[in-house]
Amino acid sequence: MTPAARIAAAIGILDRIEAGEPAEKALTGWARRSRFAGSKDRAAVRDHVFDVLRCRRSCAALGGGESGRALMLGLLRRKGLDPGEVFTGEGHAPAPLTPEERRAGRPPEGAEALDMPDWLLPGLTAALGGDLEEVCRLFQARAPVWLRVNERRCSREEARALLAREGIVARPSERVKTALEVIENARRIKQSEAWKTGCVELQDLNSQALCADLPLGAARVLDYCAGGGGKVLALAARAPEGQYLAHDADFARMKDLPIRAARAGAEVRLVKPGEAGAAAPFDLVLCDVPCSGSGAWRRSPEGKWRLDAGRLEELMKTQSEILDKAKKLVSEAGEIAYATCSLLTGENEARIDAFLAANPGWECRESRRYSPLSGGDGFFLARLVRKPR
Ligand SMILES: C[S@@+](CC[C@H](N)C(=O)[O-])C[C@H]1O[C@@H](n2cnc3c(N)ncnc32)[C@H](O)[C@@H]1O
């Protein structure tokens, strides 16, 4: 495909997303219908779509509308490129610009320029203070790719050398001892020997930092909201002598977990919804709760535009319900680790305050935020224990 044909494809996909189709589904559907597209085409089209989604508001302002065509026009202007060179109508390029399209568009202002919805700005300002603008600007750009080295399989330097043999260049994090940032050929990771043999897993830097901050040596660990299992696998790699169980309200979300665990040489037992109580008590119950995902919006930018106040309320209710269930699963001396990838106080400190107000026998041993300005996604962790009697 020519560069202009890739842009035309991205315009069609953006139209479907604007009509309500989830981005991943729209991209997969396009790839299925476009057998002529090679892997480089698919990657380039995906990049265009996600570049727009991260900056949807400023692209709409610059492009003068919210159609796929206007958004892409805005993206090209945002990048300082001449849209007239792409919108030529030649071959499979988008149709030439109309005089209205040439005139449309203006510089983005205020929250538009930060690519945040207006309704979220007060909450984000309260949570981030002076970091607000820097975080919003960071979320307009692509996220770095981080790997977690599985120290049960190899050292970080060995993993790095193994990756380098296949042209994947990575550099170590100074902050997290298992983390490597991929700086070249990230798209080859899942075909690499290092990944296939369980030496490395894809995991965000701050997700790794959070797992490293959890207490070591807990004998029995339950990951109550395990999803794909990224965190429970990190814990199992760190303290293999422990016993690890994974639970999720949506059991199907854990479908790849047994394969990932086998690759990593870890043992993780899956627990069906509603059956965690039978396996209790646990020394550590990790609740990596469903949340707005606002700490990871440069990776999943769609969430920024789909979230609304009603959905946020629902999420906070679920978060409190999960904490309530978790407290019944923890041993007398055990702890709950409450985690989110959210920046919002309502999903973080306020949920912990509400839990402590309703449960005076509990206290918060430690809580911390992991800032996106430190290289990874934004996370929050609170460790809850029973007060000594
Ligand atoms: C943030 S994701 C977990 C990500 C995962 N821990 C990781 O590191 O890859 C939250 C998960 O919580 C699950 N979930 C939602 N509501 C739940 C509930 N009421 N009880 C348990 N799990 C729930 C979702 O299905 C989702 O997989």
Side-chain angles (χ1 to χ4, degrees):
M1 291 171 78
T2 62
R6 290 169 173 172
I7 286 179
I11 288 173
I13 294 165
L14 285 165
D15 279 332
R16 294 178 96 104
I17 297 171
E18 286 301 306
E21 194 164 319
E24 288 301 343
K25 191 166 172 232
L27 280 159
T28 317
W30 169 78
R32 209 171 289 134
R33 292 188 301 277
S34 313
R35 296 281 175 213
F36 53 85
S39 62
K40 286 198 175 128
D41 297 319
R42 289 198 299 273
V45 169
R46 183 185 180 83
D47 281 348
H48 289 321
V49 168
F50 275 85
D51 284 350
V52 166
L53 290 178
R54 271 187 293 270
C55 303
R56 188 184 165 282
R57 263 195 105 176
S58 54
C59 288
L62 286 161
E66 297 188 345
S67 65
R69 211 175 136 82
L71 290 170
M72 190 51 74
L73 177 56
L75 181 71
L76 295 171
R77 287 181 176 149
R78 202 173 186 281
K79 290 183 173 176
L81 301 170
D82 175 7
E85 287 181 10
V86 176
F87 288 69
T88 59
E90 287 162 21
H92 296 283
L97 293 174
T98 63
E100 294 75 38
E101 283 175 322
R102 285 184 190 283
R103 279 193 303 272
R106 54 171 177 77
E109 294 160 6
E112 275 178 346
L114 295 179
D115 279 304
M116 277 296 164
D118 291 325
W119 75 274
L120 269 171
L121 268 192
L124 286 173
T125 309
L128 298 173
D131 288 343
L132 173 78
E133 191 161 336
E134 205 180 334
V135 169
C136 292
R137 300 258 179 234
L138 193 74
F139 282 8
Q140 291 173 321
R142 287 179 201 168
V145 177
W146 289 99
L147 295 173
R148 175 175 57 77
V149 175
N150 177 5
E151 290 178 311
R152 298 183 71 183
R153 290 270 194 252
C154 63
S155 71
R156 183 159 72 170
E157 268 320 299
E158 284 165 345
R160 203 175 163 202
L162 200 57
L163 290 161
R165 267 195 246 154
E166 298 186 61
I168 302 168
V169 183
R171 63 178 170 218
S173 153
E174 283 177 15
R175 193 159 63 85
V176 181
K177 74 181 181 60
T178 50
L180 283 174
E181 182 182 1
V182 181
I183 47 180
E184 266 176 54
N185 291 323
R187 291 195 208 281
R188 292 189 196 162
I189 290 167
K190 289 196 178 173
Q191 284 81 49
S192 74
E193 210 44 37
W195 189 81
K196 286 186 198 159
T197 54
C199 291
V200 296
E201 258 293 354
L202 283 157
Q203 189 177 10
D204 175 70
L205 176 72
N206 280 337
S207 174
Q208 295 185 49
L210 186 153
C211 291
D213 287 342
L214 290 176
L216 245 193
R220 303 194 75 233
V221 178
L222 174 69
D223 187 350
Y224 190 72
C225 306
K231 294 196 180 57
V232 75
L233 290 173
L235 293 179
R238 220 176 122 221
E241 64 284 2
Q243 219 187 335
Y244 297 92
L245 285 82
H247 166 276
D248 197 288
D250 183 353
F251 193 75
R253 286 217 177 208
M254 301 191 290
K255 70 177 188 324
D256 294 336
L257 186 41
I259 304 163
R260 289 177 81 186
R263 200 166 54 225
E267 233 178 90
V268 179
R269 201 178 109 202
L270 302 193
V271 181
K272 296 225 166 80
E275 293 184 5
F282 296 94
D283 303 307
L284 174 67
V285 176
L286 170 61
C287 300
D288 185 21
V289 295
C291 69
S292 62
S294 45
W297 274 344
R298 66 179 153 163
R299 209 174 291 286
S300 312
E302 228 183 336
K304 209 158 46 164
W305 314 114
R306 300 246 196 257
L307 186 69
D308 59 31
R311 174 74 187 132
L312 186 57
E313 272 301 318
E314 260 175 50
L315 284 165
M316 293 193 298
K317 188 164 166 275
T318 305
Q319 291 156 1
S320 287
E321 286 167 1
I322 289 176
L323 273 176
D324 238 35
K325 289 196 179 129
K327 76 176 184 217
K328 297 174 192 127
L329 302 171
V330 180
S331 67
E332 196 52 37
E335 74 176 66
I336 299 174
Y338 174 86
T340 73
C341 57
S342 170
L343 301 174
L344 300 166
T345 310
E347 298 186 279
N348 296 336
E349 293 86 351
R351 291 282 56 68
I352 300 307
D353 291 346
F355 177 81
L356 296 178
N359 296 280
W362 285 74
E363 62 188 4
C364 181
R365 177 170 281 169
E366 184 203 355
S367 83
R368 58 190 299 181
R369 280 176 173 257
Y370 299 81
S371 168
L373 300 179
S374 65
D377 293 340
F379 278 91
F380 172 78
L381 169 68
R383 296 173 54 193
L384 303 168
V385 291
R386 289 191 181 86
K387 285 181 187 161
R389 288 177 198 234

